């Protein structure tokens, strides 16, 4: 059986991100996987942000067949905070318990067939694993994330050349990878578990059901365009704008009454929210780094399509050409594109993601590109 060690940027029990899906797809393809969670520290314990991470000297079960977990602990946290963001703090944060080499020793993962890293803070630990093939997954432009310290950004850039390949989720990230000295650059798109979003589940009780429902499902960070939502909600009072996700950046003004902030919800409820929606939206913008925003290949695009929703987005996705993906170029045209999407939805047009965007297909092609 082939083996993989995946270094994730998010805990296993978090909302599923790309590496969660890749781990599950590998298992479907017959692999055995260890998922290494980002290190937790006393800071995470005090703030209640352990998210299921726990002390263990050995591999522990994820609760899913074929996937084991390691939750490294670091006594010294590295975070974008005074005193903790320095290069010295980063150096000490790498003193992990248990040492990964000891945890993997005398297991089938001691010399895995693949190491796949998507965590800038764990990049050196990933390089130190003696794998037959190593790859780094560059999922986004790091400028989008204030949580990443200058020290981590610098280390990520300096380490990419040490991997056999750098996997990019958007063609726009190719220059970033090449400038960092990547030996080989492979485009590996984000995708979707189609069956998960086509399963009929209960509609959550807090989902408004009157009028067309405009849904955003995901994190609300600096690149979320509140202005386009507020202006559109004011001009289309008959539409209900539903925002599901953790709000890290709040709007600067009061929201219209037809905008509903429902907060972060379990991933298991997402198919229900999408089932009740009319249109899915991706309203991203940034006055400072629009090129970084345009390099995002949002997983939610494929999830919306799998749920049968037309998508109105500010981000062109070149490899997904479909009438159901409607791109707006300015705030003034956003509402018009929503009207167009609602009309398409009511026309009976068949909406689905491209077949090649199912996670198992994506990972199979990834392995072929890595000669595995």
């Amino acid at each position: 059986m082939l083996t993989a060690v995946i270094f994730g940027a998010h805990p296993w029990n978090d909302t599923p991100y790309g590496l969660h899906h890749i781990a599950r797809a590998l298992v479907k393809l017959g692999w055995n996987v260890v998922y290494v969670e980002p290190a937790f520290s006393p800071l995470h314990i005090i703030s209640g942000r352990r998210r299921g991470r726990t002390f263990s000297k050995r591999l522990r079960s994820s609760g899913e067949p074929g996937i084991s977990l390691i939750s490294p602990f670091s006594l010294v946290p590295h975070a974008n905070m005074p005193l903790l963001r320095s290069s010295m703090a980063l150096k000490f944060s790498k003193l992990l318990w248990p040492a990964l080499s000891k945890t993997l020793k005398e297991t089938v993962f001691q010399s895995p067939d693949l190491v796949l890293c998507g965590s800038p803070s764990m990049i050196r630990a990933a390089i130190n694993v003696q794998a037959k093939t190593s790859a780094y997954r560059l999922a986004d432009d790091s400028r989008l994330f204030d949580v990443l310290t200058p020290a981590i950004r610098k280390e990520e850039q300096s380490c990419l050349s040490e991997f056999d390949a750098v996997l990019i989720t958007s063609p726009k990230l190719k220059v970033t990878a090449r400038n960092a000295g990547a030996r080989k650059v492979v485009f590996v798109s984000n995708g979707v578990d189609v069956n998960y979003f086509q399963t009929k589940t209960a509609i959550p009780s807090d989902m408004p059901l009157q009028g067309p429902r405009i849904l955003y499902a995901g994190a609300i960070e600096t690149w979320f365009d509140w202005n386009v939502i507020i202006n559109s909600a004011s001009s289309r009072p008959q539409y209900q704008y539903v925002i599901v996700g953790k709000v890290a950046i709040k709007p600067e003004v009061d929201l219209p009454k037809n905008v509903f902030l429902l907060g972060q919800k379990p991933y298991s409820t997402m198919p229900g929210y999408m089932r009740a929606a009319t249109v899915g939206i991706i309203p991203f913008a940034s006055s400072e780094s629009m090129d970084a925003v345009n390099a995002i290949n949002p997983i939610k695009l494929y999830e919306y399509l799998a749920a049968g929703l037309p998508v109105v987005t500010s981000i062109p996705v070149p490899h997904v050409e479909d009438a159901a993906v409607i791109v707006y170029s300015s705030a003034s045209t956003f509402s018009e594109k929503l009207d167009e999407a609602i009309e398409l939805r009511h026309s009976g047009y068949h909406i689905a993601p491209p077949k090649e965007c199912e996670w198992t297909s994506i990972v199979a092609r990834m392995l072929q590109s890595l000669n595995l």
Side-chain angles (χ1 to χ4, degrees):
M1 179 177 288
L2 295 170
T3 56
V5 178
I6 296 179
F7 289 79
H10 305 276
W12 183 253
N13 289 336
D14 206 340
T15 298
Y17 290 86
L19 287 175
H20 295 84
H21 295 295
I22 288 174
R24 292 179 173 120
L26 282 170
V27 170
K28 289 181 181 179
L29 293 169
W31 285 59
N32 207 348
V33 176
V34 163
Y35 184 91
V36 183
E37 300 184 291
F40 71 109
S41 69
L43 191 65
H44 295 94
I45 297 173
I46 293 169
S47 61
R49 294 187 291 114
R50 284 176 63 165
R51 299 179 194 172
R53 288 171 287 187
T54 185
F55 299 99
S56 178
K57 292 183 179 181
R58 300 179 180 85
L59 302 179
R60 59 189 181 87
S61 173
S62 68
E64 299 182 33
I67 301 176
S68 301
L69 301 180
I70 298 176
S71 302
F73 177 78
S74 174
L75 189 61
V76 180
H78 182 71
N80 210 353
M81 301 168 61
L83 301 178
L84 297 180
R85 65 169 65 100
S86 68
S87 298
M88 187 61 69
L90 176 60
K91 180 179 179 180
F92 282 110
S93 71
K94 296 175 185 177
L95 300 175
L96 303 175
W97 185 93
L100 293 177
S101 58
K102 291 184 178 180
T103 306
L104 297 177
K105 188 176 181 181
E106 298 181 0
T107 74
V108 294
F109 301 99
Q110 184 170 344
S111 298
D113 295 284
L114 172 66
V115 158
L116 176 56
C117 181
S119 171
S121 63
M122 299 291 285
I123 193 167
R124 180 52 60 186
I127 291 170
N128 290 337
V129 176
Q130 300 301 309
K132 297 175 184 176
T133 300
S134 63
Y136 187 83
R137 186 172 185 266
L138 190 63
D140 292 294
D141 190 313
S142 65
R143 289 176 294 171
L144 294 172
F145 304 100
D146 293 336
V147 69
L148 296 179
T149 68
I152 284 181
R153 296 174 200 269
K154 182 179 179 180
E155 181 160 88
E156 180 187 51
Q157 187 174 26
S158 66
C159 287
L160 290 190
S161 62
E162 298 188 48
F163 289 88
D164 296 319
V166 173
L167 313 181
I168 56 173
T169 58
S170 167
K172 294 180 182 294
L173 293 170
K174 184 174 183 178
V175 173
T176 302
R178 288 297 187 195
N179 288 344
R183 303 179 201 171
K184 180 179 180 179
V185 179
V186 180
F187 171 63
V188 179
S189 177
N190 278 321
V192 66
D193 180 345
V194 175
N195 290 335
Y196 187 83
F197 285 92
Q198 290 184 347
T199 300
K200 288 189 177 182
T201 57
I203 295 174
S205 59
D206 57 354
M207 181 73 178
L209 298 178
Q210 67 276 18
R213 277 83 65 193
I214 314 303
L215 175 69
Y216 174 80
I220 295 87
E221 298 284 352
T222 54
W223 58 84
F224 186 84
D225 192 350
W226 277 114
N227 290 330
V228 78
I229 299 295
I230 293 168
N231 292 337
S232 183
S234 299
S235 67
R236 299 290 191 276
Q238 72 275 27
Y239 295 175
Q240 311 301 315
Y241 296 75
V242 182
I243 313 296
V244 178
K246 182 180 179 181
V247 180
I249 302 297
K250 296 181 179 180
E252 297 179 353
V253 298
D254 292 337
L255 294 172
K257 293 182 179 179
N258 57 330
V259 177
F260 300 84
L261 295 184
L262 303 188
Q264 189 170 15
K265 302 293 182 178
Y267 190 68
S268 60
T269 65
M270 288 300 103
Y273 283 105
M274 292 187 187
R275 178 186 171 198
T278 310
V279 177
I281 58 172
I282 305 174
F284 292 171
S286 173
S287 58
E288 298 179 355
S289 54
M290 198 59 207
D291 57 332
V293 170
N294 283 332
I296 297 173
N297 183 359
I299 291 177
K300 63 178 63 62
L301 169 72
Y302 307 98
E303 294 176 344
Y304 289 151
L305 292 174
L309 299 179
V311 183
V312 175
T313 174
S314 63
I315 303 175
V317 182
H319 62 285
V320 182
E321 296 182 2
D322 193 296
V325 180
I326 302 171
V327 180
Y328 69 94
S329 57
S330 65
S332 61
T333 61
F334 178 69
S335 295
E336 296 172 7
K337 297 300 183 181
L338 287 180
D339 299 340
E340 184 180 327
I342 292 169
E343 184 176 348
L344 180 70
R345 179 73 187 277
H346 292 158
S347 72
Y349 179 83
H350 178 67
I351 300 172
K355 291 181 180 179
E356 63 272 17
C357 290
E358 206 280 331
W359 276 116
T360 306
S361 298
I362 289 170
V363 172
R365 291 195 302 273
M366 177 193 81
L367 295 174
Q368 187 175 19
S369 297
L370 296 174
N371 299 317
L372 290 170

